[in-house]
Amino acid sequence: MTDTARAAATTAATSGSKSEQAYAAVKARIVDGTYSPGYRLVLAKIAEDLGVSVVPVREAIRRLEAEGLVKFERNVGATVSGIDPTEYLYTMQTLSIVEGAATALSAPLIGAADVARARAVNAEMRECLQHFDPVRFTRLNQDFHSVLFEHCPNPHILDLVHRGWNRLASLRSSTFRFVPGRAHESVDEHEALLQLIESGASPDDIEKAARRHRSATLDAYLAQTNAGSLSAH
Amino acid sequence: MTDTARAAATTAATSGSKSEQAYAAVKARIVDGTYSPGYRLVLAKIAEDLGVSVVPVREAIRRLEAEGLVKFERNVGATVSGIDPTEYLYTMQTLSIVEGAATALSAPLIGAADVARARAVNAEMRECLQHFDPVRFTRLNQDFHSVLFEHCPNPHILDLVHRGWNRLASLRSSTFRFVPGRAHESVDEHEALLQLIESGASPDDIEKAARRHRSATLDAYLAQTNAGSLSAH
DNA sequence: CCATAGTGTTTCGTATACGATTTCGTACTC
DNA sequence: GAGTACGAAATCGTATACGAAACACTATGG
């Protein structure tokens, strides 16, 4: 179990409900990769691991299903979802839309301090490219975008963004590879986004830019898979 | 009970799982207004109504919570959510975004037959305005938009649209009133949308138009309630 | 050797039961 | 008369138990 997962589990233990605890614990394990796509989630086993009975575990898993992190089949069981490249496409496309909107809505509320913070993160990302540290790069990437939409005044949209990121996180370390060429472009686009925000560009332009930023990552993935160099190893 | 609700209930009865049955049944009652916002959902009572035990009911309600139709408070119980005007704003804003995207993605796949069908629906809506039939108008409005995004190739986005509509449906008959002036504008905008699609306009233009269409409804509501200070769009 | 039926094991699905928590009504005190 | 303390009722939360469905494996017939 990673630190992140352990932290989440601890937090969950603090909150009273065992159902909440199970939910947070399983979610953390999916997001951090302990349970990777296709992993079979056996209710009784998870219940024993967490020291609770199956009922709250079942409830937690149904909730995760509603978020798209888990696939539940009647009388068969639950598996961590997300192997399918088609799902990846759907998720990325949806994320490009809601993330674009979230960023545009946040933009007027982003201050100089936020921009500076984002820039610092982006600088670190550049370093990661030189030292080739994809894991850290991915984490920093999330930090960067968090700065962009954390001020989003509409919690529903923010929630959709988070769900999208969670789904991606569950895929991250398994099926879909880090694409160095795309990563370089990405940090450049980050800087361009920050300048757009600083310059007080229209929400519409910011939305378009943010959307394109993610669409480009999707395109890079599609180009790679079409080229036949699949992530077979 | 509306046709939609009856259909959902029937489907639920056909599917074997009691949890599914409870989910569909309660959802239908929320959407069709049998359970209106603020209604207290007592697990034991619902269980008895449906002839099942509390466990599947509880599970169903947690799922509805994940969809935003229900608010669940620990050790207190569940209530149908949606009274808050702020929530209405959030929902409409989110819907304008996902619906706009869904319509734009569908547009290239919409054929002449679809357009004709939508036009017929819109004509009926005009009639409803003359006879003042808000209930029927609302149902037709949903039919109209269904034609627009039913071909959306991304099921995730489609799902978000449906969730938004469900939330609105639960509000419809209670808190938020029918605004005749806005309704007249609405049917005109529908026709404009259809012409945009027929003319093969760019997805971007279609998305903007679809988005504005919903934003305008939100604005009309805000103007009516004088809660204009909330507007962010 | 393959197909298939039968049996055992695993795992899910839900009813029931009981402890825990909140809420509401009532009586008591100031 | 207002506020508080206490007890009863209602409701939730979860453990346990058992029936049902799916899966894996073996045995049997072709």
Side-chain angles (χ1 to χ4, degrees):
Chain A
M1 192 202 272
T2 68
D3 290 345
T4 332
R6 203 190 315 279
T10 308
T11 307
T14 309
S15 118
S17 159
K18 303 202 174 177
S19 161
E20 287 291 330
Q21 174 191 348
Y23 170 76
V26 175
K27 183 171 181 174
R29 283 166 176 70
I30 292 174
V31 170
D32 80 2
T34 306
Y35 298 155
S36 46
Y39 185 92
R40 179 77 184 281
L41 297 166
V42 179
L43 297 185
K45 193 168 168 298
I46 294 173
E48 199 190 345
D49 283 355
L50 300 176
V52 301
S53 83
V54 295
V55 178
V57 172
R58 182 183 162 80
E59 186 180 298
I61 288 189
R62 289 308 277 259
R63 278 217 273 162
L64 292 168
E65 185 195 18
E67 292 182 24
L69 287 174
V70 161
K71 189 165 175 293
F72 206 95
E73 213 170 338
R74 172 164 167 84
N75 278 322
V76 173
T79 53
V80 178
S81 67
I83 311 175
D84 191 351
T86 306
E87 278 296 310
Y88 179 74
L89 187 147
Y90 292 154
T91 302
M92 287 292 275
Q93 196 175 40
T94 307
L95 195 47
S96 88
I97 288 158
V98 296
E99 203 175 44
T103 304
L105 287 170
S106 292
L109 305 170
I110 295 175
D114 297 313
V115 173
R117 188 152 55 95
R119 233 173 220 132
V121 172
N122 209 34
E124 283 192 73
M125 289 176 73
R126 261 186 224 284
E127 282 182 31
C128 288
L129 287 178
Q130 292 176 342
H131 308 355
F132 196 76
D133 188 347
V135 176
R136 186 165 156 75
F137 183 90
T138 302
R139 195 163 56 238
L140 288 168
N141 188 41
Q142 180 155 7
D143 291 343
F144 179 89
H145 284 279
S146 293
V147 175
L148 292 193
F149 47 66
E150 71 185 354
H151 291 109
C152 178
N154 186 326
H156 291 194
I157 295 174
L158 199 51
D159 185 53
L160 294 180
V161 174
H162 286 142
R163 289 190 185 190
W165 277 89
N166 281 339
R167 297 179 83 152
L168 287 183
S170 82
L171 297 171
R172 177 193 46 194
S173 49
S174 53
T175 314
F176 301 98
R177 278 189 309 176
F178 182 74
V179 187
R182 172 60 198 149
H184 276 92
E185 281 175 21
S186 189
V187 292
D188 291 342
E189 287 171 16
H190 284 179
E191 178 54 33
L193 263 175
L194 290 178
Q195 287 178 12
L196 259 184
I197 292 169
E198 276 183 322
S199 72
S202 76
D204 209 57
D205 288 340
I206 292 172
E207 175 164 8
K208 275 205 181 66
R211 217 187 250 203
R212 264 203 310 271
H213 175 55
R214 182 160 293 284
S215 298
T217 302
L218 173 58
D219 292 342
Y221 165 73
L222 292 176
Q224 193 185 35
T225 54
N226 287 343
S229 57
L230 274 168
S231 49
H233 46 263
Chain B
M1 192 192 257
T2 66
D3 291 344
T4 333
R6 203 190 319 280
T10 308
T11 306
T14 309
S15 119
S17 159
K18 303 201 174 178
S19 161
E20 287 290 331
Q21 175 190 349
Y23 169 77
V26 175
K27 182 172 180 173
R29 282 165 175 69
I30 292 174
V31 170
D32 80 4
T34 306
Y35 298 155
S36 46
Y39 186 91
R40 179 78 184 281
L41 297 166
V42 179
L43 297 186
K45 193 167 168 301
I46 294 174
E48 199 189 346
D49 282 356
L50 300 176
V52 300
S53 83
V54 295
V55 178
V57 172
R58 182 184 162 81
E59 187 179 298
I61 289 188
R62 288 309 278 260
R63 278 217 274 163
L64 292 168
E65 185 195 19
E67 293 182 24
L69 287 174
V70 162
K71 189 165 174 295
F72 205 97
E73 212 171 337
R74 174 167 166 81
N75 277 323
V76 173
T79 53
V80 178
S81 66
I83 311 175
D84 190 350
T86 306
E87 277 296 308
Y88 179 74
L89 187 146
Y90 292 155
T91 302
M92 286 291 276
Q93 196 175 41
T94 307
L95 195 48
S96 89
I97 288 158
V98 296
E99 204 175 45
T103 304
L105 287 170
S106 293
L109 305 170
I110 295 175
D114 298 314
V115 173
R117 188 151 55 95
R119 231 171 224 134
V121 171
N122 209 32
E124 283 192 72
M125 289 176 74
R126 261 185 227 284
E127 283 182 30
C128 288
L129 287 178
Q130 292 177 343
H131 308 355
F132 197 76
D133 187 346
V135 175
R136 186 166 155 74
F137 183 90
T138 302
R139 193 164 57 239
L140 287 168
N141 188 42
Q142 180 154 8
D143 291 343
F144 179 89
H145 284 280
S146 293
V147 175
L148 292 193
F149 46 66
E150 72 186 353
H151 292 109
C152 178
N154 186 327
H156 291 194
I157 294 173
L158 199 51
D159 185 53
L160 294 180
V161 174
H162 286 143
R163 288 191 185 189
W165 277 88
N166 281 338
R167 297 180 81 152
L168 286 183
S170 81
L171 297 171
R172 176 193 46 197
S173 49
S174 53
T175 314
F176 300 97
R177 281 185 305 175
F178 183 74
V179 187
R182 172 61 197 149
H184 276 91
E185 282 175 21
S186 189
V187 291
D188 291 342
E189 287 171 17
H190 285 179
E191 179 53 34
L193 262 175
L194 290 177
Q195 287 178 12
L196 259 185
I197 291 168
E198 277 184 321
S199 72
S202 75
D204 208 58
D205 288 340
I206 293 173
E207 174 164 7
K208 276 205 181 67
R211 216 187 253 202
R212 264 202 311 269
H213 176 54
R214 182 159 294 283
S215 298
T217 302
L218 172 58
D219 290 342
Y221 165 73
L222 292 176
Q224 194 184 33
T225 57
N226 290 332
S229 57
L230 288 167
S231 174
H233 195 72

